[in-house]
Amino acid sequence: MNVQTGKMQPGEARHPDVSTQDIIARDQHKAPEWVASESYEYLGSEDIDTKRYTSAEYMQEEFKRLWTRTWQFACREEHIPEVGDYYVYDIGPYSFIVTRVTPTEIRAYFNACLHRGTKLRASNTEGAASEFKCSFHGWSWNIDGSNKSMLCPWDFPHADPKEYSLPEARVQTLGGFVWINMDPDAPSLEDYLGPKALEHIKAWKLEDRYITCHVTKPIPSNWKLNIEAFMEAYHVPDTHPQVSPTNADVNSQYDTYGEHVNRFISTLGVVSPEHTGKYTEQDVLDMFTVGDSSIVKEKPQVPDGATARQMMADMFRGMFEQATNTDLSSVSDSEILDCFSYTIFPNTFLFPGISLPMVYRFRPNPKNHRESLYEVLFLRPKPKDGSYVETAEPVHLTAEQSFCDAESMDPGFGGILDQDTDNLFLQQEGVEASAKPGLTLGDYQEIRIRHFEQAIDKYMAMDPKIPNWKALQRK
């Protein structure tokens, strides 16, 4: 229980109701340390300058100072399982061919011919290759990045093929994800994440999951507004009224880890503190919606003295085990039910739970600072018997389409995403129309936004870091 007495310091206030950790502590299958922990730090109460959302020039500086220095999720290892497989990842004006060079090595080449700059592979493509050949004049590179051939080499005595290997971004893998960084001097991915966040990510074993749904949609808002819409549960009572009766929204937990990782835990299967006394345990069970609810067939009656939360945990454990051919006996009730959202700065959200097994990725549109790309991926556990599973192909929606239009998306959850993104057009226009030059944030419930924007400030205070192709070649 959040008991508050006397005058509190900034950031100490909490909703005066049962806490997230109190709810989790009552579960029958106890939570691991990474769940049963807190890591909040007050970071100030100043307004956030709105120019960072409304200035095209500001976004162009982000491409020079931020995106060239940070670790980004480019693809999953399952996208490139065999030698020669490749996947094209774009971020702003930059493009990379992420390819498996050997069974144990992955590289990421700047996706441009070193002759006259033509992309070697089109954006949003993947496949298998024995070489990367320019469609314009036929210059080609081996999959290890070395120059294979130049058309009419007699005319290029000044271009030594040995000095024309493709420049590379740094590559590391973690949790089944392929991460890239354009800065050869950046810290390792492990140091970038920090020891506590790294410990959490390793505990989830996300390398043992596969993509069952991948949906992309352009959103009419700056990429930072897009991201920040998903960093708090404070919006749930008004934006998602159908969810609030089964979600401890305004009593969610918020944590920060170092400079680049933050999270919230939003417990599910309990009534929002804003609706205490309005719903029965049976109401909670009947109204519950999860992100991966395709396996939910029916909802039983809650016996006297039982809770909807515990019934959901037991029910979903059995149904997910059967539907996905996995063993979840060692997984806690909280991991089965609750919404865990970790932001990996700058543009990735990891949701390691079982009922919400998601990844979000957000990317700016380099041609329009008022638009960004939002991606939703669902990752289910791989079958315990090792049977083959198909990696879902991305479904590309238009800005006008509903998330429900994607066949692989659960309609109930698609409707929730529509509610989230419908706000963003109004927010972008409102930020631009406002006479107030800043956004006011809550000290606790919106701490992830402040933490995120302070990381933005850190990188924007640095000098531009423009990739140097010679420094990025393999020696």
Side-chain angles (χ1 to χ4, degrees), residues 59-250:
M59 187 181 72
Q60 293 307 316
E61 291 302 313
E62 290 173 340
F63 290 135
K64 300 174 185 177
R65 302 165 192 263
L66 186 158
W67 295 103
T68 54
R69 287 185 165 100
T70 51
W71 286 98
Q72 301 155 47
F73 151 50
C75 67
R76 290 277 296 173
E77 288 198 65
E78 67 198 76
H79 285 125
I80 48 171
E82 305 295 334
V83 172
D85 289 349
Y86 69 88
Y87 185 100
V88 176
Y89 170 71
D90 290 351
I91 183 64
Y94 303 104
S95 182
F96 299 89
I97 301 172
V98 183
T99 187
R100 188 174 293 277
V101 179
T102 74
T104 58
E105 184 180 7
I106 297 170
R107 298 183 187 178
Y109 305 122
F110 282 74
N111 184 17
C113 177
L114 298 181
H115 172 218
R116 283 168 56 183
T118 305
K119 275 188 174 180
L120 297 172
R121 287 293 185 272
S123 297
N124 300 315
T125 62
E126 57 185 293
S130 58
E131 64 176 359
F132 299 113
K133 186 175 182 179
C134 178
S135 60
F136 198 175
H137 298 95
W139 285 36
S140 66
W141 283 264
N142 297 304
I143 63 169
D144 67 0
S146 61
N147 183 264
K148 182 177 182 180
S149 67
M150 298 177 178
L151 182 65
C152 299
W154 54 266
D155 206 17
F156 294 88
H158 49 288
D160 184 350
K162 294 180 180 179
E163 297 179 359
Y164 270 66
S165 61
L166 293 173
E168 302 176 34
R170 293 170 63 188
V171 173
Q172 286 194 240
T173 58
L174 177 66
F177 297 90
V178 180
W179 307 83
I180 69 167
N181 193 317
M182 292 179 242
D183 184 1
D185 301 317
S188 67
L189 178 61
E190 292 82 3
D191 289 341
Y192 182 88
L193 296 172
K196 183 57 67 173
L198 182 64
E199 178 185 330
H200 290 196
I201 294 171
K202 288 184 175 180
W204 307 333
K205 298 188 183 303
L206 296 180
E207 62 273 18
D208 295 333
R209 300 192 188 182
Y210 70 103
I211 300 171
T212 62
C213 172
H214 184 178
V215 181
T216 80
K217 183 178 177 179
I219 304 297
S221 73
N222 183 271
W223 72 279
K224 296 183 294 298
L225 288 181
N226 197 351
I227 282 182
E228 291 165 7
F230 298 93
M231 283 187 169
E232 39 79 11
Y234 179 51
H235 69 279
V236 170
D238 283 282
T239 299
H240 309 302
Q242 80 278 24
V243 172
S244 195
T246 65
N247 183 326
D249 38 43
V250 296

Side-chain angles (χ1 to χ4, degrees), residues 43-46 441 446-454:
L43 297 177
S45 301
E46 300 79 13
L441 303 179
E446 294 171 313
I447 188 64
R448 295 177 76 198
I449 297 174
R450 187 172 300 282
H451 182 257
F452 171 75
E453 289 296 346
Q454 288 187 355

Side-chain angles (χ1 to χ4, degrees), residues 28-44:
Q28 291 182 8
H29 290 75
K30 299 306 178 184
E33 188 277 335
W34 68 266
V35 174
S37 63
E38 297 184 67
S39 182
Y40 170 81
E41 178 185 2
Y42 173 68
L43 297 177

Side-chain angles (χ1 to χ4, degrees), residues 157-352:
H158 49 288
D160 184 350
K162 294 180 180 179
E163 297 179 359
Y164 270 66
S165 61
L166 293 173
E168 302 176 34
R170 293 170 63 188
V171 173
Q172 286 194 240
T173 58
L174 177 66
F177 297 90
V178 180
W179 307 83
I180 69 167
N181 193 317
M182 292 179 242
D183 184 1
D185 301 317
S188 67
L189 178 61
E190 292 82 3
D191 289 341
Y192 182 88
L193 296 172
K196 183 57 67 173
L198 182 64
E199 178 185 330
H200 290 196
I201 294 171
K202 288 184 175 180
W204 307 333
K205 298 188 183 303
L206 296 180
E207 62 273 18
D208 295 333
R209 300 192 188 182
Y210 70 103
I211 300 171
T212 62
C213 172
H214 184 178
V215 181
T216 80
K217 183 178 177 179
I219 304 297
S221 73
N222 183 271
W223 72 279
K224 296 183 294 298
L225 288 181
N226 197 351
I227 282 182
E228 291 165 7
F230 298 93
M231 283 187 169
E232 39 79 11
Y234 179 51
H235 69 279
V236 170
D238 283 282
T239 299
H240 309 302
Q242 80 278 24
V243 172
S244 195
T246 65
N247 183 326
D249 38 43
V250 296
N251 212 25
S252 297
Q253 177 179 312
Y254 299 86
D255 303 293
T256 61
Y257 302 95
E259 294 182 320
H260 299 118
V261 182
N262 58 54
R263 78 165 176 185
F264 75 56
I265 305 175
S266 194
T267 48
L268 306 182
V270 292
V271 178
S272 165
E274 296 295 291
H275 298 296
T276 299
K278 297 180 182 178
Y279 298 95
T280 67
E281 292 294 321
Q282 188 63 49
D283 292 334
V284 174
L285 182 62
D286 291 341
M287 299 172 70
F288 186 67
T289 300
V290 297
D292 188 13
S293 62
S294 59
I295 54 85
V296 179
K297 304 304 180 186
E298 58 184 29
K299 297 175 182 178
Q301 293 296 305
V302 181
D304 291 341
T307 66
R309 177 176 171 85
Q310 192 60 56
M311 287 198 66
M312 289 178 199
D314 296 341
M315 179 175 66
F316 289 158
R317 186 187 308 276
M319 288 192 297
F320 276 111
E321 283 183 330
Q322 183 176 4
T324 62
N325 191 20
T326 54
D327 181 5
L328 301 176
S329 59
S330 63
V331 178
S332 69
D333 293 338
S334 182
E335 292 170 90
I336 293 287
L337 281 181
D338 294 333
C339 178
F340 300 91
S341 171
Y342 284 71
T343 303
I344 311 297
F345 185 85
N347 67 329
T348 299
F349 283 19
L350 302 181
F351 296 77

